[in-house]
Amino acid sequence: MTRSRAQLSGSAVSDVFRGARVGVVIPVYNEAAFVGEVVDTLPAFVDRAYVVDDCSTDDTWRVVQERQAAHATDTVVRQADGGRFGPSLVPIRHDSNRGRGAAVKTGYRAALGDGMDVVAVMDGDGQMDPDRLDDLVRPVADGVADYAKGNRLGAPEHRSEMTAWRRFGNRLLSVLTRVASGYWGTSDSQNGYTAISADTLEALDLEEVYDGYGFLNDMLVRLNVLDARVVEVPMPAIYGDEESGIEYRSFVPALSLLLAQLFAWRLTTKYTVGQLHPVAVLYGLGLGSGAFGLGYVTHWFAPLADEAGRLQLAFVILGTSATVTLVALALDRLHNRHLVTDGERP
């Protein structure tokens, strides 16, 4: 009988991963009903799991501690500010609710401190199939990608469990994230099933990464500035009885504003520091002239309604702005095209 990948022996899988030490960060908040099964189904190749409880108000912390006792004889609990760890399961608890991103960052720091080579993130709500974990870890461990992320939007059968509202929100945010991050070949920006190399983590300024649900989008923007290679791993959407902590009606506008700020930061950091790049020049001309043209039309439209020539000038400015901006988008995409890889060894 063929074994599932989650049941493969640690030695068998570690050979595939070239001896890389694999850590898994599991951020949880009020996931008492699910986190125990998530921990129990981690693949055997995982060297250490960091369950970060973001100050849950239910029994999550008790369940995590019970799982640690079941998985290890050394039950010393590690605190967020440092301390010792058990052999395989490392429970960490925040003393206040800081957000999903903050919980992942705490796990990242702990994994780096313990010498993990590849660090994955798997949510504690049971929506991420443990059998897909090796697909995420392998390209990072092989050195063909610096960051791997799941993609539930690529195939109809993978997104079939998503509601129309979820698909709409996710696709909209994915498009905005492509523009902001420069990773034009990616989708499903809100997929938190990821893996990253320790070297890439160390190059990131984790203190600056967003603490809330915009963490994933912020990560992609900052990874692009580092010229990190990203690979997407197709996977189906999985939903059960768990409730999402995201309200798209408020989340989409708030994240859109964050992405606009990150977009400006990426252009400034990547394309103007050291040497001015044509992408920054074109974006500046296109967006700047567009803002001027829009303000011109808005401010002068009523009194100049009969002055067709001046109105035509305003629309010429807007048309030119759109053209220059599209050229900037195309050049930005071309400049970053090589950063999205298929994850295969050369």
Side-chain angles (χ1 to χ4, degrees), residues 37-49:
E37 183 176 357
V38 171
V39 170
D40 289 343
T41 56
L42 286 174
F45 62 79
V46 174
D47 293 284
R48 190 158 294 162

Side-chain angles (χ1 to χ4, degrees), residues 105-106 109 201 204-211 215 218 222:
K105 286 157 61 174
T106 294
R109 293 187 187 100
L201 263 184
L204 285 167
D205 185 356
L206 284 176
E207 290 295 332
E208 296 298 321
V209 183
Y210 195 69
D211 282 344
F215 169 83
D218 196 342
R222 295 178 188 278

Side-chain angles (χ1 to χ4, degrees), residues 184-307:
W184 294 89
T186 62
S187 299
D188 198 6
S189 61
Q190 305 317 114
N191 194 319
Y193 204 0
T194 65
I196 189 170
S197 71
D199 289 343
T200 305
L201 263 184
E202 289 173 345
L204 285 167
D205 185 356
L206 284 176
E207 290 295 332
E208 296 298 321
V209 183
Y210 195 69
D211 282 344
Y213 280 112
F215 169 83
L216 293 167
N217 314 81
D218 196 342
M219 280 285 289
L220 283 172
V221 174
R222 295 178 188 278
L223 287 169
N224 183 269
V225 171
L226 294 176
D227 284 338
R229 298 159 300 166
V230 173
V231 62
E232 289 203 309
V233 177
M235 59 182 57
I238 301 174
Y239 298 103
D241 297 329
E242 69 286 338
E243 295 183 5
S244 173
I246 297 178
E247 288 288 340
Y248 277 99
R249 294 180 188 276
S250 59
F251 178 64
V252 171
L255 184 56
S256 298
L257 177 59
L258 174 65
L259 287 171
Q261 296 169 344
L262 290 170
F263 173 65
W265 176 82
R266 179 176 71 89
L267 293 186
T268 302
T269 306
K270 185 166 185 172
Y271 292 128
T272 67
V273 175
Q275 183 178 1
L276 189 62
H277 194 279
V279 170
V281 176
L282 290 171
Y283 268 129
L285 289 174
L287 297 178
S289 61
F292 174 79
L294 184 61
Y296 183 85
V297 171
T298 303
H299 182 72
W300 293 102
F301 185 85
L304 298 178
D306 296 330
E307 300 183 23

Side-chain angles (χ1 to χ4, degrees), residues 3-307:
R3 295 174 296 172
S4 70
R5 286 172 287 184
Q7 294 173 319
L8 290 173
S9 69
S11 60
V13 183
S14 64
D15 290 341
V16 177
F17 297 154
R18 301 184 179 184
R21 301 188 71 200
V22 179
V24 176
V25 176
I26 306 175
V28 290
Y29 178 71
N30 291 347
E31 301 291 358
F34 306 101
V35 65
E37 183 176 357
V38 171
V39 170
D40 289 343
T41 56
L42 286 174
F45 62 79
V46 174
D47 293 284
R48 190 158 294 162
Y50 303 85
V51 184
V52 184
D53 179 10
D54 195 28
C55 198
S56 296
T57 58
D58 65 356
D59 289 333
T60 295
W61 184 238
R62 177 184 60 79
V63 173
V64 172
Q65 289 180 301
E66 289 175 351
R67 281 306 188 277
Q68 189 202 28
H71 282 257
T73 56
D74 180 0
T75 57
V76 176
V77 175
R78 182 177 187 147
Q79 301 300 323
D81 59 352
R84 296 178 58 208
F85 52 84
S88 59
L89 181 60
V90 184
I92 307 172
R93 191 167 199 260
H94 285 167
D95 54 7
S96 62
N97 182 254
R98 306 180 197 172
R100 182 189 183 276
V104 175
K105 286 157 61 174
T106 294
Y108 276 162
R109 293 187 187 100
L112 286 176
D114 291 344
M116 298 295 110
D117 299 302
V118 180
V119 188
V121 177
M122 177 186 291
D123 285 347
D125 57 9
Q127 291 187 11
M128 298 175 179
D129 184 356
D131 275 358
R132 301 278 173 173
L133 184 58
D134 63 331
D135 291 334
L136 289 163
V137 171
R138 183 180 296 107
V140 179
D142 284 350
V144 298
D146 304 301
Y147 185 74
K149 60 179 291 295
N151 180 10
R152 301 161 295 183
L153 300 178
E157 62 272 17
H158 286 172
R159 57 179 181 263
S160 60
E161 287 198 26
M162 295 180 106
T163 64
W165 180 242
R166 278 182 187 263
R167 287 197 301 270
F168 170 77
N170 205 325
R171 287 190 182 280
L172 175 60
L173 292 176
S174 293
V175 170
L176 295 177
T177 302
R178 288 175 191 169
V179 178
S181 70
Y183 286 115
W184 294 89
T186 62
S187 299
D188 198 6
S189 61
Q190 305 317 114
N191 194 319
Y193 204 0
T194 65
I196 189 170
S197 71
D199 289 343
T200 305
L201 263 184
E202 289 173 345
L204 285 167
D205 185 356
L206 284 176
E207 290 295 332
E208 296 298 321
V209 183
Y210 195 69
D211 282 344
Y213 280 112
F215 169 83
L216 293 167
N217 314 81
D218 196 342
M219 280 285 289
L220 283 172
V221 174
R222 295 178 188 278
L223 287 169
N224 183 269
V225 171
L226 294 176
D227 284 338
R229 298 159 300 166
V230 173
V231 62
E232 289 203 309
V233 177
M235 59 182 57
I238 301 174
Y239 298 103
D241 297 329
E242 69 286 338
E243 295 183 5
S244 173
I246 297 178
E247 288 288 340
Y248 277 99
R249 294 180 188 276
S250 59
F251 178 64
V252 171
L255 184 56
S256 298
L257 177 59
L258 174 65
L259 287 171
Q261 296 169 344
L262 290 170
F263 173 65
W265 176 82
R266 179 176 71 89
L267 293 186
T268 302
T269 306
K270 185 166 185 172
Y271 292 128
T272 67
V273 175
Q275 183 178 1
L276 189 62
H277 194 279
V279 170
V281 176
L282 290 171
Y283 268 129
L285 289 174
L287 297 178
S289 61
F292 174 79
L294 184 61
Y296 183 85
V297 171
T298 303
H299 182 72
W300 293 102
F301 185 85
L304 298 178
D306 296 330
E307 300 183 23

